[in-house]
Amino acid sequence: MAFFQEPPRLGNQFDDDPMLRTWLARFLPPMEVGDITAELRGLGDLTCELYGKQLLDRTNEPTLTQWDAWGNRIDRIDVSPLWVEAQVLAAKHGMVAAAYEPRLREHARTHQFAIVHVLGPSLDVYSCPLAMTDGAARTLLGSGNQALIERFVPLLTTRDPQAMWTSGQWMTERTGGSDVSQSETVAKQDASGQWRLYGTKWFTSATASNMALTLARPEGNPDGSRGLALFLVELRDADGRLRDIEVNRLKDKLGTRKVPTAELTLAGTPATLVGAPGDGVRAITPMLSVTRTWNAVSAVSGMRRALALAGDFARRRSAFGALLVDKPLHADTLAGLEAEYAGAFCLAFRSVQLIGSLEHDGATKDADERLSRALIPIAKLLTAKQAVACASEAIESCGGAGYVEDTGLPRLLADAQVLPIWEGTTNVLSLDTLRALGKGGALASIAHEIETHCAAATDAGLAAPVAAARAALAHATAWIGEAMTEPERLEAGARRFAMTLGRALELALLAGHAQWCQDHGHGGRTAAAARRFMANGVDSIDDHTFADTRLLA
Ligand code: MFK
């Protein structure tokens, strides 16, 4: 009888994830662990069901209908069937709402992102509008604009699928997604005092959303980012028609193909000023912190999904006389990826913890603020790169099947590739890390964070990882001390510096968590991850002459 390979199957994505389970057991209030475990296990079952639907929905993509039969411009966007279901599931399971519910106080963010981690990879990047919805709620809450808070935050943070709104974030224009200071969109007040926006937004990913936060330059304001202001746009009128917005086309993207990313013309779009008529970049920074944290969690949940499928494939696929999982080299490759996942998980969920404590005015607010300002860009940039590398290796581990679209596996890599690009590229975030560290005490707070977790890891089996984390931190600290006075060297080395700090953080967090796991009867798996992570390499700091760079670039 001819041979047919069994495809990989997805198990319960809560039960199969010891990192998530032990992290929650360690950090959630003991009274809550039982209920949250039951909730997440239920979501884990749902992921198995949704995986089948994802495969069936694979070729459905959003469509744009610009004109109706009678010649009216309608610019209607229809999304895939799974996206329609995702909207309901996201609301019902509180993928945004859970962060704003008072019951768990500073742990609400951990609860929310645990839900996102388990369910997110099953919703075909519906995490994109959710991240911006969460960011918009947080930005409005920080704006002090009571009228907007009362009107919109309840809509953004409800669990009622019929009532829930999603929000976009429109920053990128043809002039750039990184240097937003050059934005060309102009805001003018009409005779009635209504602000209206004129310009083109070049990458608007949540075009099916109800509202958006966007930047525009009030007429007469100076050039540069200080002249931009933050506006809120309600996309549609009571009849569902776009309000002076034209959808020029949908983007033809490498991945995230379910996301209806569009180019828009704002042709006098009515908008509400959120805060002052300037300093919009500063006003939108709460959005950046939230969406970058979503990016980090989406990176680790994408890694989890890739490893779940690659691991299951290795347990079903035989070659050269044995299951792949029993082949030393194949197992070695997967183990290296599991270690990267474990480190990335710790850094992403540590960022989550920090935004949770900041939102609940803890006694350590100032220290948490300093730490999170520096840690979030590092977490975003490092986990995004880890996610791409992991997805690439995971599909390779499935051989040719990993390269064939209708196995669903290539999508893992195509979707991961957006993570280092949107919400700030690796280089932009490396420079942001330098800017964050330029504020008093931020490097010391990172050093304190690393040292705290290293000091907690007292087991002899963790001595080498702890030493490696400390050595990488010492090297990074010495390097920045020297490079500070040489702007060209500082900028050229910013990525290697940020990566090194990030990997030192991941390793220290991993070692600290490994100690907790050993002390609380969860075995030595996390310690093995720490040792393997160390072996994958921590410190990439090196200086190259600009002359060599010029010859090569
Ligand atoms: C599924 C769909 C897929 C679609 C494909 C995606 C393709 C890509 C689409 C995109 O383009 S996504 C958009 C990506 N772009 C970004 O995320 C923005 C990247 N750029 C930055 O992050 C820049 O660093 C930034 C725009 C913030 C710099 O702006 P400026 O104009 O140089 O402002 P400046 O002076 O640095 O910062 C203004 C204030 O904000 C400062 O405060 P102070 O005046 O008090 O010092 C900064 O410290 C503060 N600030 C900046 N970044 C901050 C921050 N505060 C907190 N957190 C931050 N991250």
Side-chain angles (χ1 to χ4, degrees), residues 1-326:
M1 170 136 156
F3 171 79
F4 291 96
Q5 176 60 44
E6 258 193 289
R9 301 214 181 109
L10 195 70
N12 181 306
Q13 288 305 286
F14 175 70
D15 285 336
D16 290 357
D17 189 354
M19 277 308 295
L20 176 64
R21 284 188 284 107
T22 54
W23 190 269
L24 297 180
R26 181 179 171 197
F27 290 111
L28 285 178
M31 299 273 289
E32 303 287 350
V33 173
D35 282 354
I36 292 178
T37 295
E39 176 193 1
L40 294 172
R41 183 160 288 132
L43 292 181
D45 285 337
L46 184 60
T47 58
C48 305
E49 184 190 323
L50 287 168
Y51 180 57
K53 289 190 180 177
Q54 283 180 290
L55 291 174
L56 290 174
D57 202 49
R58 192 181 60 79
T59 54
N60 292 322
E61 294 191 351
T63 56
L64 168 64
T65 306
Q66 285 178 310
W67 308 97
D68 75 6
W70 308 101
N72 299 299
R73 182 93 193 229
I74 52 168
D75 289 352
R76 194 187 70 230
I77 292 173
D78 293 299
V79 296
S80 66
L82 188 55
W83 257 52
V84 174
E85 191 174 348
Q87 191 269 330
V88 175
L89 292 173
K92 208 170 101 185
H93 294 293
M95 290 176 81
V96 175
Y100 296 86
E101 291 164 351
R103 184 171 58 95
L104 290 172
R105 292 191 44 80
E106 72 271 26
H107 304 290
R109 281 286 178 190
T110 298
H111 177 216
Q112 173 210 11
F113 278 109
I115 297 168
V116 171
H117 183 60
V118 174
L119 193 52
S122 299
L123 300 183
D124 284 353
V125 200
Y126 196 73
S127 49
C128 168
L130 295 176
M132 292 186 278
T133 300
D134 190 351
R138 178 51 47 205
T139 304
L140 289 177
L141 284 169
S143 72
N145 187 328
Q146 213 48 40
L148 295 185
I149 293 171
E150 282 169 21
R151 175 137 181 249
F152 294 104
V153 173
L155 298 172
L156 300 171
T157 59
T158 176
R159 282 183 185 248
D160 177 355
Q162 304 306 320
M164 185 182 172
W165 277 31
T166 54
S167 176
Q169 172 228 128
W170 304 341
M171 288 212 301
T172 299
E173 301 195 2
R174 282 190 302 261
T175 45
S178 299
D179 180 2
V180 300
S181 68
Q182 302 182 70
S183 297
E184 294 177 324
T185 297
V186 173
K188 301 182 187 182
Q189 274 180 301
D190 66 17
S192 70
Q194 170 70 58
W195 286 101
R196 291 188 177 274
L197 309 185
Y198 300 85
T200 304
K201 294 292 174 180
W202 188 239
F203 261 106
T204 62
S205 283
T207 321
S209 289
N210 311 75
M211 59 167 267
L213 293 184
T214 189
L215 297 176
R217 193 178 309 284
E219 232 179 352
N221 267 20
D223 289 345
S225 65
R226 300 292 143 119
L228 295 169
L230 180 61
F231 288 91
L232 187 153
V233 171
E234 284 179 72
L235 270 66
R236 291 176 181 77
D237 63 19
D239 298 322
R241 279 189 300 259
L242 286 168
R243 302 165 85 211
D244 301 304
I245 298 171
E246 286 176 0
V247 183
N248 301 335
R249 59 176 165 168
L250 297 182
K251 295 284 197 192
D252 187 7
K253 295 168 291 173
L254 167 69
T256 68
R257 293 192 65 91
K258 309 293 178 152
V259 184
T261 308
E263 295 169 18
L264 303 182
T265 295
L266 307 182
T269 310
T272 306
L273 190 61
V274 175
D279 238 354
V281 170
R282 202 201 315 249
I284 208 169
T285 53
M287 168 77 88
L288 301 182
S289 301
V290 170
T291 55
R292 287 170 184 174
T293 304
W294 270 82
N295 209 87
V297 172
S298 299
V300 294
S301 60
M303 291 171 87
R304 184 69 256 136
R305 173 60 59 96
L307 287 170
L309 293 172
D312 191 73
F313 185 76
R315 289 185 287 276
R316 291 178 194 280
R317 176 75 168 171
S318 292
F320 304 111
L323 286 172
L324 292 182
V325 72
D326 295 324

Side-chain angles (χ1 to χ4, degrees), residues 390-411:
C390 177
S392 171
E393 199 68 71
I395 71 170
E396 181 182 338
S397 82
C398 298
Y403 203 64
V404 171
E405 289 288 357
D406 58 2
T407 62
L409 296 167
R411 204 176 47 89

